[in-house]
Amino acid sequence: MAPQAPASASGMSGECPLAGSCDWLLARPGCRPGSASLPGRSPCSAKASPPRAALQPLSGLRIVEGASFVAAPSAGMALAQLGADVIRVAPQGGGSDFHRWPLSSAGDSLFWASLDKGKRSVTIDHRRAEGRELLIALATEPGRGAGIFLGNMVGRHRLTYEDLRARREDVIHVHLQGRNNGSPAVDYTINAEVGVPQMTGPQGTDRPVNHVLPA
């Protein structure tokens, strides 16, 4: 099936022949979500993966990442640096961390760009039935080294291990969560809850203290 142009009305960046490969949907590294459809910009669609050394330890693995903020994207970045082909899935317009501070002079998130280096990306609205089907097909695509999903999605639209295993029995699903009940959390909420501020010195003092972590 020939590639189709991005269609904003469908809530997806394209249509994938679910029985075949979704390779033509994948954007080259560094493309912003939805940028392929913006006028005045170079096309972002490309089949080629980022260049990788053939002998990297994770070369040959394909990992689909559906995540935001720090923990899971950092894990995806580390896997990409070890040679894995990591595909970042983002909602249309970018995820919740797409405009996170600090920003460049052009208004782009340096935080977002630093955690996505070396990855490929595709824009999918997984809240729609069509987008969810496309994401499941991409995460469970047949073939050696594929069938690995890394994420921290929460809420009723998240993908579960059962959702993916129904399509591919040997799928690997890694889910990073903030709390053991499945609710989200980030470093600046967890740090306060476990007492990190109290470790840096008593309240109300202006005397220097030794930090609990080495420099």
Side-chain angles (χ1 to χ4, degrees), residues 181-200:
N181 64 0
S183 60
V186 292
D187 53 351
Y188 44 79
T189 59
I190 294 297
N191 287 347
E193 292 176 3
V194 301
V196 170
Q198 285 71 31
M199 299 177 190
T200 61

Side-chain angles (χ1 to χ4, degrees), residues 32 103-108:
R32 299 169 57 180
L103 304 178
S104 70
S105 58
D108 296 324

